[in-house]
Structures are given as C-alpha cells and as structure tokens.
Amino acid sequence: MSSAQPSPPSYEELAALVVELKLLVSAQAERIAELERQVASDSHNSSRPPSSDGLRKKPAPKSLRQRTGRKPGRAKGDPGGRLEQVADPDAILDHHPAACGRCGDDLADAVSAGYRARQVFDLPEIAPEVTEHRLHLAVCGCGHTTAATAPEHVPASAV
C-alpha cells in the first residue's frame, strides 16, 4: 500500500488563499455588525413600534423607595394644626356686599342677614394682633342673599 501524499502548496497558492480568506472575513465582519445592530434596536432607540419588541421588552423601572410600615396621615389623637378663632379679636372690620349676586341691584340700604367671620393672626414682635373680618350677608328685594367678598389677604376663617 502506497499512499500518495499531495504536494505542499506553493507560495503563490498560499498568498491567493490568504487574500481570499481576508475578503471572506471582512464580508462576514460586515454581516455580523449589521445583525448586531438589528438585534440591538428596539422601540426605544428606533422608529419601530413597541409591539415589535416581542419578548425582549425591558422591565419597567422599579421604585427605590422603601416601605416604612407607618400608616399615612396624622397620628391618632393628634388634634391637628388648625388655628381656632378667638372670641375677642383686637380689631373688627366689616365688609358689606355692594351689589346683589343674582340681579346686580345696589345693596347699600339692604337688611343684614348675618355674617361669616374670618380671622387673620398677624404676629408682631410680642403678641399676635387678631383682626376679624366680618363678611356680611344682605338680602335683596328679589329675595336673594348675597355675601360680601373677603379681601385677597383673608383666604379662610382663621389664618
């Protein structure tokens, strides 16, 4: 049995093979780069719709906040931070409605139907000065009761 071994390739054949393999490797590198770009694109970094993400969807961001175990709101038995109106304010300013809220008639001579009191607590250096603003109600000849509007710096019943 004689085995015939092929002769080794010549230098020219090896050089041609190297050039051919270089071209093949560069073509494959371009194809790999294109496929990696396609795999990396999703609805966040391309114009593709979110439905095309398939199973590769990114999870929703999770909050870093920790639970404290406490219930929301004020503590039980806490009276809250609301100011109460005082019975004897330092000053009283009366505010009467000028016109009826429905028909627009003048209410200068109208009978008072009571008032709603709002108090403002101004804190000077030593003791607070309390001014009560009385928003009078007036009844028009048409039967509609109109309340005076409070000045802008008097937003609620006790401030």
Side-chain angles (χ1 to χ4, degrees):
M1 291 189 119
S2 78
S3 65
Q5 292 190 356
S7 63
S10 68
Y11 178 78
E12 290 79 24
E13 291 174 336
L14 288 175
L17 184 60
V18 166
V19 169
E20 183 181 333
L21 290 176
K22 274 187 171 181
L23 290 173
L24 183 62
V25 166
S26 67
Q28 289 175 342
E30 288 176 14
R31 177 72 176 143
I32 289 171
E34 173 63 22
L35 291 174
E36 285 177 345
R37 187 190 62 77
Q38 287 177 6
V39 167
S41 70
D42 61 8
S43 63
H44 292 92
N45 57 13
S46 69
S47 61
R48 293 170 47 193
S51 61
S52 69
D53 288 348
L55 300 176
R56 295 181 289 127
K57 290 183 181 177
K58 294 180 183 175
K62 300 221 173 168
S63 174
L64 299 177
R65 292 179 62 185
Q66 301 281 332
R67 291 187 65 90
T68 62
R70 295 189 297 175
K71 292 182 179 178
R74 65 172 176 82
K76 288 187 177 176
D78 186 15
R82 190 179 75 190
L83 288 174
E84 296 293 331
Q85 290 192 358
V86 296
D88 185 25
D90 297 322
I92 296 175
L93 299 177
D94 289 313
H95 304 279
H96 295 276
C100 178
R102 186 190 314 167
C103 67
D105 282 352
D106 184 33
L107 295 176
D109 298 327
V111 177
S112 178
Y115 62 88
R116 297 180 193 142
R118 296 183 179 189
Q119 293 181 349
V120 175
F121 291 76
D122 293 324
L123 299 176
E125 297 206 14
I126 297 174
E129 181 179 308
V130 180
T131 303
E132 181 173 301
H133 297 264
R134 292 183 177 173
L135 307 177
H136 286 269
L137 307 171
V139 179
C140 179
C142 70
H144 181 69
T145 302
T146 301
T149 57
E152 287 187 28
H153 67 282
V154 184
S157 62
V159 179

